[in-house]
Amino acid sequence: MVELGESQGAGESSSLLRLVLDSMHSGVFWKDQSSTYMGCNQSFARMVGLSSPEDIVGRTDDELPWADEAERFRQADRQVIECGRAILDIEGPYTRLDGTQGWLRTSKLPLRDSEGRTVGVLGLDDDLTESRRQQEALQAIVEATFTNTGEDFFRALARHLAQALSVDMAFVGQLVPNKPWRVQTLGFWDRDHFLPGLEYDLEGTPCQLAMESGIHLVERGLVDLFPDDEHVVLLQAESYLGVPLYDSAGQRVGLVAIMNRLPLEDSESIRSILSIFAARAGAEIERKQVDEELRDARDALERRVRQRTEALVTAHEDLKSLLYIVSHDLRAPLINVKGFAGELQSNFEELRRFAMPRLQGLPEEEANKLRRVMEEDLPEALNFIDSSITRIHRFMDTLLRLSQEGQRQLLMEEVDTRAVVDEALRDLAFTLEQRQAKVEIGELPAVVADRLSMEQVFGNLLSNAALYLDPQRAGWVRVRGKRGEKEVVFEVKDNGLGISSEDLPKVFRPFRRGSHQHVEGEGMGLAYVQALVRRHGGRIWCQSEPGEGTTFYFTLAANIQSDDPRQTREIYLDEFNRLRT
């Protein structure tokens, strides 16, 4: 081993530490007690528009692009310095280098001197803007699909699209029947309100170019390029991006577009999100057109309802495919990041083995600082990166499970619901015993259904009932059913915490967990239950009073036969028509 002199060893350790910091994707910085920057890595320097990390020395947040948020950042610095404890995963908006609003995740750790006194702050910044846009777009599509129908669907879609891409305007337009070059808007969002519906000719508009070319982008100067487009002039739009909408036969049925009063930066992320919304909007326009045809002829009701169902199935398949594609595209860079983080961890371990024995050659204060960085700060940062990647993976897996639920073919057979309930209660025995809860089982008629679906339905409803019991009083859960002429109605009732009137309309929405956040979960259980019940031609609803308890009711069609050869959509349609008559 080559022995290094004191200055040579310190210089080499400093260079290695700089190499590690500059290899990190996260922005790393450190400040003194007055929130004045003492240094940063290359990623942070690029984030704030500096040519070199050395240029940050002596600056404050008031001199960086996020000057408007400077006081918020200083308050976090003061909290770390005064309390001497780290603050992790602070997420919030911030002003990016180009002046647009982004989303930042920051962790801050105390820097201490050799006597253990906090003398500054070490921070890690991650720009979550693009990944957040992708996630919000996916969730917006799911929410709009589950919670809106008809005209409300297109209005919600336009609003979600504008918010997901942080632009002023978004609209969905449908080609007017028998007028192929005229468009009628179905939903038009402008900043914070909806604009009235309007019709306009495509000729001489940016929408004409979008319909002809498949996609059209104007990054700036929209009014100058289309001075005869009265709507562009009136709205003072500076930029535009539009794509056509297609039905299942590949025919153009409309378009979806965004406009902004500032220049629009072209990016693959924006195009991808717009394409996702376009695919869903095109499928819904096709469904809408089929609905309008159904109202024209009562005699063709069954045939046309089946066409509508096919359109919905196609739309659902498109949505599942898009969810898979986007999740896959997000997963690939995540895998790369995780691999890089693992490589960085290995390099760091090698660096630590190399550097730690050489700290003895440094002044005590410098050696202690580097020792804390090597033994505490950097390991904590690497663990934070790994846990964040794991959290994003869980989110994407949840979306994929939701999209894949409709793919499984139902196997209809006679199901002993009492046996299904008994099995679910055995799985919940420990939870019920902890809460000293009593269970009352009434009549439970046998049904013809998919056994696995019934296990999931009763399992989720009974699990919710047990988990949301009030620990301050004796709990009970009651489950029973009743057979009618056309339906079998089941009831799962508890005397638990109950659901507020604000949360009650949202209980079946995906990713909604209400106000009782102490109960673990992703907010997907009731969305699964609703999907399964609907696949059986049934319906589900809920009644609840806060502090008194909750009752879930769901129905199953009473006339499904064992080994029913019909497809799921046929069961749904036949039972729907039977109940109507």
Side-chain angles (χ1 to χ4, degrees):
M1 178 181 296
V2 177
E3 295 292 336
L4 299 177
E6 181 176 329
S7 60
Q8 182 182 2
E12 185 171 344
S13 297
S14 178
S15 297
L16 288 171
L17 180 58
R18 168 59 65 182
L19 179 62
V20 171
L21 293 175
D22 288 341
S23 298
M24 296 179 67
H25 177 72
S26 301
V28 181
F29 62 87
W30 46 99
K31 301 179 181 180
D32 63 17
Q33 287 183 312
S34 65
S35 289
T36 300
Y37 285 94
M38 297 188 296
C40 70
N41 68 349
Q42 287 284 2
S43 294
F44 189 83
R46 287 193 296 269
M47 185 184 299
V48 298
L50 299 177
S51 58
S52 170
E54 285 73 21
D55 295 337
I56 196 69
V57 178
R59 295 177 184 264
T60 67
D61 288 309
D62 294 303
E63 303 171 69
L64 300 183
W66 50 68
D68 291 342
E69 294 93 9
E71 183 55 33
R72 175 160 59 90
F73 294 152
R74 280 193 291 268
Q75 288 179 1
D77 293 341
R78 287 194 291 269
Q79 182 178 349
V80 171
I81 292 171
E82 292 173 0
C83 298
R85 292 193 298 271
I87 300 178
L88 303 178
D89 294 349
I90 310 170
E91 292 191 9
Y94 84 108
T95 303
R96 305 174 78 189
L97 183 59
D98 59 4
T100 61
Q101 188 179 76
W103 197 260
L104 189 69
R105 180 174 60 210
T106 300
S107 293
K108 295 188 175 183
L109 305 91
L111 285 176
R112 297 183 175 90
D113 61 15
S114 58
E115 297 180 1
R117 294 174 298 190
T118 301
V119 295
V121 173
L122 174 68
L124 293 94
D125 280 348
D126 287 292
D127 189 334
L128 305 180
T129 307
E130 292 303 318
S131 62
R132 187 179 177 87
R133 280 182 177 177
Q134 295 273 5
Q135 293 176 9
E136 288 176 348
L138 289 172
Q139 187 162 347
I141 283 285
V142 174
E143 289 188 0
T145 300
F146 272 80
T147 61
N148 297 282
T149 58
E151 299 302 324
D152 288 340
F153 174 86
F154 296 105
R155 289 162 62 89
L157 203 69
R159 177 171 59 85
H160 283 308
L161 177 57
Q163 292 172 348
L165 295 180
S166 300
V167 296
D168 294 321
M169 293 164 279
F171 67 90
V172 180
Q174 177 183 4
L175 290 176
V176 177
N178 303 319
K179 297 179 181 179
W181 288 102
R182 189 167 178 83
V183 171
Q184 176 186 20
T185 61
L186 302 176
F188 201 133
W189 177 259
D190 184 2
R191 288 187 178 175
D192 58 1
H193 64 284
F194 290 104
L195 296 180
L198 57 92
E199 281 193 22
Y200 65 94
D201 289 324
L202 284 172
E203 186 175 358
T205 69
C207 296
Q208 177 187 6
L209 299 180
M211 293 291 283
E212 291 175 343
S213 63
I215 188 168
H216 186 65
L217 168 69
V218 178
E219 296 187 18
R220 63 180 69 242
L222 186 65
V223 174
D224 296 334
L225 292 172
F226 298 92
D228 296 329
D229 188 333
E230 59 178 340
H231 302 298
V232 167
V233 174
L234 180 63
L235 294 169
Q236 288 297 295
E238 174 70 12
S239 53
Y240 170 96
L241 178 61
V243 297
L245 306 180
Y246 299 91
D247 62 15
S248 57
Q251 300 296 317
R252 290 183 175 89
V253 293
L255 82 158
V256 61
I258 58 174
M259 295 193 294
N260 204 30
R261 294 184 174 90
L262 294 173
L264 185 65
E265 180 183 354
D266 187 15
S267 74
E268 192 61 35
S269 174
I270 290 178
R271 289 173 179 255
S272 174
I273 291 173
L274 190 63
S275 296
I276 294 172
F277 277 82
R280 187 61 187 92
E284 188 67 16
I285 284 180
E286 184 175 16
R287 188 203 64 79
K288 175 177 174 290
Q289 291 173 338
V290 173
D291 281 347
E292 291 170 351
E293 293 174 3
L294 290 174
R295 287 190 293 267
D296 294 337
R298 174 63 174 152
D299 292 340
L301 177 61
E302 180 176 340
R303 176 179 60 83
R304 291 170 181 170
V305 169
R306 291 182 188 277
Q307 290 174 352
R308 179 185 66 176
T309 305
E310 289 293 344
L312 287 174
V313 170
T314 300
H316 184 57
E317 292 298 325
D318 289 345
L319 176 59
K320 289 186 295 185
S321 297
L322 286 165
L323 284 172
Y324 175 81
I325 291 170
V326 174
S327 296
H328 180 271
D329 289 345
L330 288 176
R331 194 182 302 277
L334 278 177
I335 292 173
N336 291 336
V337 172
K338 192 173 185 66
F340 178 79
E343 183 177 346
L344 186 59
Q345 177 72 45
S346 299
N347 292 338
F348 170 68
E349 295 295 338
E350 184 67 22
L351 173 63
R352 182 161 56 183
R353 285 194 296 270
F354 178 83
M356 292 301 290
R358 290 164 174 76
L359 294 182
Q360 296 179 357
L362 298 176
E364 182 178 358
E365 182 177 353
E366 293 182 11
N368 288 335
K369 287 182 179 179
L370 286 174
R371 186 175 291 108
R372 279 193 297 275
V373 170
M374 303 294 285
E375 295 181 348
E376 300 176 12
D377 299 339
L378 284 178
E380 186 173 2
L382 291 170
N383 288 335
F384 164 72
I385 292 172
D386 186 70
S387 63
S388 298
I389 295 171
T390 301
R391 187 166 64 250
I392 296 175
H393 267 300
R394 282 202 307 268
F395 178 83
M396 291 190 297
D397 288 342
T398 299
L399 284 175
L400 287 176
R401 287 200 305 274
L402 177 63
S403 69
Q404 293 166 354
E405 177 54 43
Q407 293 179 332
R408 186 176 61 85
Q409 181 64 41
L410 301 184
L411 177 61
M412 295 299 176
E413 60 181 319
E414 185 168 322
V415 177
D416 181 352
T417 54
R418 175 60 188 259
V420 171
V421 168
D422 287 343
E423 181 64 27
L425 291 174
R426 279 193 290 271
D427 293 338
L428 293 168
F430 180 73
T431 302
L432 293 167
E433 182 179 355
Q434 277 189 321
R435 289 162 172 74
Q436 299 181 339
K438 296 181 179 179
V439 179
E440 176 184 335
I441 303 177
E443 178 186 358
L444 289 171
V447 295
V448 174
D450 177 73
R451 180 178 297 277
L452 178 58
S453 296
M454 292 301 98
E455 291 172 354
Q456 292 173 327
V457 169
F458 278 109
N460 272 283
L461 294 179
L462 290 169
S463 176
N464 274 4
L467 291 173
Y468 287 94
L469 290 174
D470 190 341
Q472 304 302 320
R473 65 176 189 271
W476 55 261
V477 178
R478 178 186 306 143
V479 55
R480 59 188 178 185
K482 183 178 181 181
R483 179 178 294 277
E485 181 181 353
K486 298 181 179 180
E487 296 177 305
V488 180
V489 182
F490 291 97
E491 170 188 316
V492 178
K493 187 172 185 177
D494 64 69
N495 70 331
L497 298 170
I499 304 170
S500 70
S501 58
E502 295 178 353
D503 290 331
L504 193 59
K506 309 171 186 176
V507 293
F508 297 108
R509 296 184 187 179
F511 309 109
R512 299 284 187 178
R513 298 188 52 223
S515 56
H516 303 301
Q517 297 295 319
H518 64 282
V519 179
E520 294 184 356
E522 298 166 331
M524 289 300 300
L526 292 178
Y528 283 128
V529 168
Q530 184 184 59
L532 292 170
V533 170
R534 285 178 172 176
R535 291 192 73 193
H536 283 74
R539 52 199 174 91
I540 185 169
W541 67 98
C542 173
Q543 296 175 352
S544 185
E545 287 292 334
E548 296 185 14
T550 301
T551 305
F552 282 93
Y553 302 90
F554 71 93
T555 69
L556 298 177
N559 300 297
I560 300 177
Q561 300 300 314
S562 181
D563 297 324
D564 196 314
R566 294 173 295 172
Q567 298 293 317
T568 301
R569 59 181 179 277
E570 294 175 320
I571 294 172
Y572 177 83
L573 283 172
D574 290 347
E575 298 307 322
F576 173 75
N577 291 329
R578 189 193 305 275
L579 292 174
R580 288 184 62 184
T581 58

